[in-house]
Amino acid sequence: MSKKKIKKVVDVGFIPGIYNYCDRWCEKCEQQLRCMSFVMGKKIKEKGGFNFEREGHREDESIWARLKEVFESTYEVLHELAEERGLDVEDIYASENIDREFWGEDYEGTPREQVYQKLESSDLLRICSIYEYWADKCLEQLYEIINDKEKNELLEEALEVVGWYPDLIQAKIRRALYGYHYHTANKSKTTEDYNGSAKVALIGVERSIENWKIIQPLCPAYQKEISHLLVVLEQLRSDADEYFPKARTFVRPGFDN
């Protein structure tokens, strides 16, 4: 896409591809109205969302028929949004399709099965799984005792943060690894998108470390469990930094510039 067209999209308030490098915590984000994903989702919700239970839907209707409705509804909202912002739909497609090479047709014919095998044998993903499992276990117990404690906003906020990130960290690491193995197999010399995913994962790891350290002295009965979680997170941070040495310098559109 030409720089002129990208500028046109940016000038009406959108940052192309911003949603690829966020932590999906929309209500905490200051860039909501500059994110095409958020604005589209908001407009679809205002129109009633995708209600498959309403009158007119048969019980035996295929998933493909329902998906067709989703795509048609999304396309309709996209046209409406383009008109409101004075854009052509083609401009939106072109500007938001920055991941085409990473996720799109250029993957056709690549040894995907080999890439997936490498993913599932990755130590990084194993560490993510270990952390997610034990973090969920610990959080279940902490949520049970928090109701018996006097209201503590600091504790509640910290628990909210550590509860947000376990599955997101794993998802971003998985995406980063997939991109890494794809680019390695194809000997790509382009600026790798996967570093953006790895950076988001690292941010999630560091926010989790920071907030577990807040929780630890406030819940002395769980000192040992939280110490173990911190060790796992430190290992994950170290391994991710080693695996993706350029991740921290990756410039995420809308967040780092």
Side-chain angles (χ1 to χ4, degrees):
M1 184 183 185
S2 69
K3 291 183 178 180
K4 184 177 179 180
K5 286 191 175 183
I6 292 176
K7 184 178 184 302
K8 184 178 180 181
V9 174
V10 172
D11 285 347
V12 299
F14 289 122
I15 299 175
I18 188 173
Y19 46 79
N20 288 318
Y21 311 109
C22 71
D23 61 8
R24 302 295 181 184
W25 208 340
C26 296
E27 60 266 34
K28 302 278 187 179
C29 183
E30 296 179 355
Q31 302 283 7
Q32 290 177 349
L33 299 182
R34 305 197 73 190
C35 173
M36 180 71 69
S37 178
F38 176 83
V39 174
M40 284 283 293
K42 187 171 182 289
K43 290 185 76 67
I44 289 171
K45 187 176 180 179
E46 288 170 354
K47 289 177 174 291
F50 303 122
N51 182 9
F52 295 126
E53 304 302 322
R54 68 179 180 275
E55 185 179 351
H57 276 291
R58 304 190 313 273
E59 289 185 6
D60 62 345
E61 189 172 36
S62 74
I63 185 62
W64 302 113
R66 299 187 179 198
L67 282 174
K68 180 174 181 290
E69 179 176 328
V70 170
F71 295 143
E72 288 175 350
S73 298
T74 303
Y75 187 71
E76 179 184 331
V77 170
L78 188 61
H79 267 272
E80 183 180 312
L81 182 61
E83 288 181 9
E84 288 177 4
R85 302 286 178 119
L87 294 170
D88 294 329
V89 174
E90 291 72 19
D91 291 340
I92 292 179
Y93 283 150
S95 66
E96 294 297 329
N97 203 20
I98 61 169
D99 257 1
R100 181 171 59 83
E101 291 185 1
F102 183 73
W103 293 113
E105 57 192 24
D106 287 347
Y107 266 101
E108 294 300 323
T110 61
R112 292 182 183 227
E113 187 175 345
Q114 295 175 22
V115 172
Y116 284 124
Q117 287 174 352
K118 288 180 180 179
L119 281 185
E120 297 312 317
S121 63
S122 165
D123 287 340
L124 264 177
L125 277 184
R126 288 197 185 102
I127 297 172
C128 286
S129 296
I130 290 169
Y131 172 68
E132 184 172 356
Y133 177 81
W134 289 111
D136 286 346
K137 287 287 187 184
C138 188
L139 283 167
E140 283 178 18
Q141 298 173 48
L142 288 172
Y143 286 136
E144 286 179 8
I145 67 167
I146 196 173
N147 293 325
D148 300 327
K149 288 178 170 285
E150 186 177 332
K151 185 174 178 62
N152 186 319
E153 291 185 6
L154 182 62
L155 176 60
E156 290 178 1
E157 288 175 6
L159 285 171
E160 184 182 21
V161 172
V162 297
W164 183 262
Y165 284 104
D167 58 341
L168 184 131
I169 290 170
Q170 179 162 185
K172 291 298 183 180
I173 288 291
R174 182 178 293 275
R175 187 178 189 276
L177 285 168
Y178 192 90
Y180 171 81
H181 289 302
Y182 167 73
H183 283 287
T184 299
N186 289 273
K187 298 180 180 179
S188 172
K189 295 181 180 180
T190 59
T191 301
E192 296 87 350
D193 169 84
Y194 62 77
N195 281 312
S197 295
K199 184 170 187 175
V200 176
L202 281 165
I203 290 170
V205 167
E206 292 183 337
R207 290 205 70 198
S208 297
I209 290 172
E210 177 186 340
N211 282 276
W212 278 121
K213 286 181 177 179
I214 291 172
I215 295 167
Q216 196 170 31
L218 297 174
C219 300
Y222 291 88
Q223 290 270 344
K224 184 177 179 181
E225 289 85 349
I226 294 173
S227 291
H228 289 164
L229 289 171
L230 288 169
V231 169
V232 175
L233 283 170
E234 292 285 2
Q235 184 65 55
L236 180 55
R237 175 166 63 179
S238 175
D239 288 1
D241 272 327
E242 183 176 352
Y243 214 103
F244 304 104
K246 296 181 180 179
R248 291 186 183 273
T249 57
F250 184 92
V251 178
R252 298 173 301 150
F255 296 111
D256 302 325
N257 59 355

